[in-house]
Amino acid sequence: MKRVIQYILIVILFSVWGIILTNKESFRESFQSVKRQYIDRPCSEPVQYALGEVDPRFGVSREDLLKYAEEAEYVWEKDFGKNLFKYNPGAEFKINLVFDERQLGTIEADKLEGELGKLEASHNAISKQYDSLSGAYKKRANDYEKDVADYKKELDEYNDDVEYWNKKGGAPEDEYDKLKKKKKELDEEYKNLEKERKALNDLVEKTNNLATKEQQIVNNYNNNLNSYENKFGETREFEKGVFDGLSINIYQFKEAADLRLTLVHEMGHALGMGHAENPESIMYYLMGDQEMENPALTKEDVDALNKICNL
Ligand SMILES: [Zn+2]
């Protein structure tokens, strides 16, 4: 009985061990086949890649991702004059878009940038309005001052005339009528001046309101800018993408050019390239000084590639 149990135990142990070994072996084998294919001979045979997981929250279709991958491929191939990569839907090596807090942050940054853009536009519109309003005010206020001075002069003349005739004990009828007519004109002028004074006050109030609104927008803009810089001010590292030997995982990008440049960089790693010293190099560890719209290899990138390819 004891023997039988021992035997069974040994059989179980061996089969478990067997499973572990096989798994380990097949993992090592598949890793080595990738390694062989991508790193040992990257230049004699093209690296075959497929698209893996493409999270829809990135807003990039599989077709577009493939297009960007092919463009990234071309950056490596155009000076090399040979196929270094090849799309093959059945390939083991995958390009994935993996969504996590990194891209969430990018989306938030995008939103804040949009907010800043809108604030800037409305600030521009309001300051234009303010300029034209305060320009109109200055001209009208100037005219008003002149009209007030004229009115005062005429009023003084009228008062002098009245005083003169009062001293004489009264004006003759025609002078009296003239003074009466003048008084009516002056009253009318006074009413108009009062109307203009009120209109000018309204204009001042409107202009001041605009200035307050403008200041609010400036404050709002500065607050938004502060929180933007606190959150997203640092340089963009290439850790937004990772090549792990079996796949390229992309975690973060802002726009197509950003995604493409990240792909070019990670595909460089897939060819077996390390990081470069020149900040303009595709293989520099930070993104920022490379040509975004038309990424191109620097001499350092080309030399490193030739070294890998034993050229
Ligand atoms: Zn890198």
Side-chain angles (χ1 to χ4, degrees):
M1 190 63 190
K2 227 180 170 183
R3 278 209 126 152
V4 175
I5 293 174
Q6 249 179 1
Y7 177 74
I8 293 172
L9 258 178
I10 286 167
V11 168
I12 291 173
L13 264 177
F14 265 99
S15 51
V16 170
W17 186 239
I19 290 165
I20 294 171
L21 271 181
T22 340
N23 274 352
K24 218 173 167 183
E25 209 44 56
S26 73
F27 173 75
R28 210 159 66 197
E29 240 173 40
S30 75
F31 183 76
Q32 272 180 345
S33 84
V34 168
K35 204 170 166 250
R36 255 202 312 278
Q37 192 184 354
Y38 302 123
I39 299 181
D40 293 350
R41 295 182 293 148
C43 317
S44 52
E45 265 175 56
V47 176
Q48 302 206 7
Y49 66 92
L51 301 185
E53 174 203 347
V54 180
D55 195 297
R57 282 172 288 182
F58 283 95
V60 172
S61 67
R62 297 183 80 85
E63 292 73 33
D64 283 345
L65 178 59
L66 182 58
K67 195 187 87 189
Y68 300 135
E70 282 169 345
E71 285 167 5
E73 207 184 294
Y74 182 66
V75 174
W76 289 107
E77 290 166 350
K78 70 180 167 196
D79 293 324
F80 199 68
K82 210 172 154 187
N83 247 8
L84 289 171
F85 296 91
K86 189 173 176 255
Y87 173 65
N88 168 9
E92 264 184 279
F93 180 67
K94 303 267 197 282
I95 295 178
N96 303 307
L97 296 189
V98 184
F99 195 92
D100 63 13
E101 72 286 344
R102 279 168 272 195
Q103 188 63 10
L104 265 177
T106 306
I107 290 170
E108 202 189 327
D110 254 11
K111 242 166 97 184
L112 266 172
E113 274 169 33
E115 210 56 52
L116 285 173
K118 268 192 228 157
L119 284 172
E120 208 178 322
S122 68
H123 175 253
N124 287 343
I126 282 186
S127 84
K128 236 181 177 173
Q129 233 176 311
Y130 177 86
D131 286 348
S132 90
L133 217 59
S134 70
Y137 170 79
K138 266 180 205 149
K139 199 186 167 297
R140 260 174 92 169
N142 212 18
D143 290 348
Y144 171 78
E145 293 299 331
K146 258 190 241 156
D147 290 347
V148 167
D150 286 349
Y151 170 79
K152 273 187 179 156
K153 210 178 137 209
E154 280 177 59
L155 187 66
D156 284 347
E157 277 168 15
Y158 168 81
N159 284 334
D160 285 350
D161 283 352
V162 170
E163 207 187 319
Y164 171 83
W165 288 114
N166 276 346
K167 268 183 189 161
K168 290 222 154 187
E173 208 180 321
D174 58 332
E175 283 299 335
Y176 180 78
D177 286 346
K178 254 200 237 166
L179 284 172
K180 217 176 145 187
K181 202 176 149 220
K182 188 70 192 167
K183 176 78 168 75
K184 223 176 147 191
E185 275 172 25
L186 283 168
D187 284 348
E188 193 59 31
E189 223 170 295
Y190 180 79
K191 256 201 264 172
N192 286 337
L193 283 172
E194 266 302 283
K195 231 166 135 186
E196 182 65 2
R197 190 181 62 81
K198 277 179 189 149
L200 281 169
N201 279 345
D202 285 351
L203 210 55
V204 167
E205 207 184 313
K206 255 192 207 164
T207 315
N208 286 342
N209 283 345
L210 271 182
T212 310
K213 221 165 151 189
E214 193 180 358
Q215 192 52 48
Q216 276 167 351
I217 289 176
V218 168
N219 291 344
N220 206 347
Y221 182 90
N222 287 338
N223 285 341
N224 270 287
L225 189 66
N226 268 342
S227 79
Y228 179 84
E229 276 172 352
N230 284 340
K231 277 184 180 161
F232 310 108
E234 65 308 353
T235 330
R236 306 191 277 177
E237 272 186 57
F238 269 117
E239 66 176 23
K240 42 204 238 158
V242 161
F243 166 71
D244 65 5
L246 289 166
S247 53
I248 288 174
N249 290 334
I250 305 285
Y251 299 102
Q252 184 190 23
F253 56 87
K254 272 173 93 84
E255 66 278 300
D258 190 8
L259 168 59
R260 192 174 44 217
L261 186 56
T262 307
L263 281 169
V264 182
H265 179 92
E266 298 309 329
M267 282 165 117
H269 283 313
L271 288 173
M273 312 253 307
H275 282 153
E277 301 282 320
N278 176 3
E280 286 171 21
S281 291
I282 294 291
M283 292 317 291
Y284 190 63
Y285 80 109
L286 287 177
M287 189 184 256
D289 289 339
Q290 297 89 347
E291 180 62 52
M292 277 295 261
E293 288 307 319
N294 296 298
L297 305 183
T298 60
K299 188 179 177 299
E300 197 184 2
D301 290 320
V302 174
D303 288 349
L305 180 64
N306 285 340
K307 205 170 162 194
I308 281 169
C309 296
N310 293 320
L311 288 176

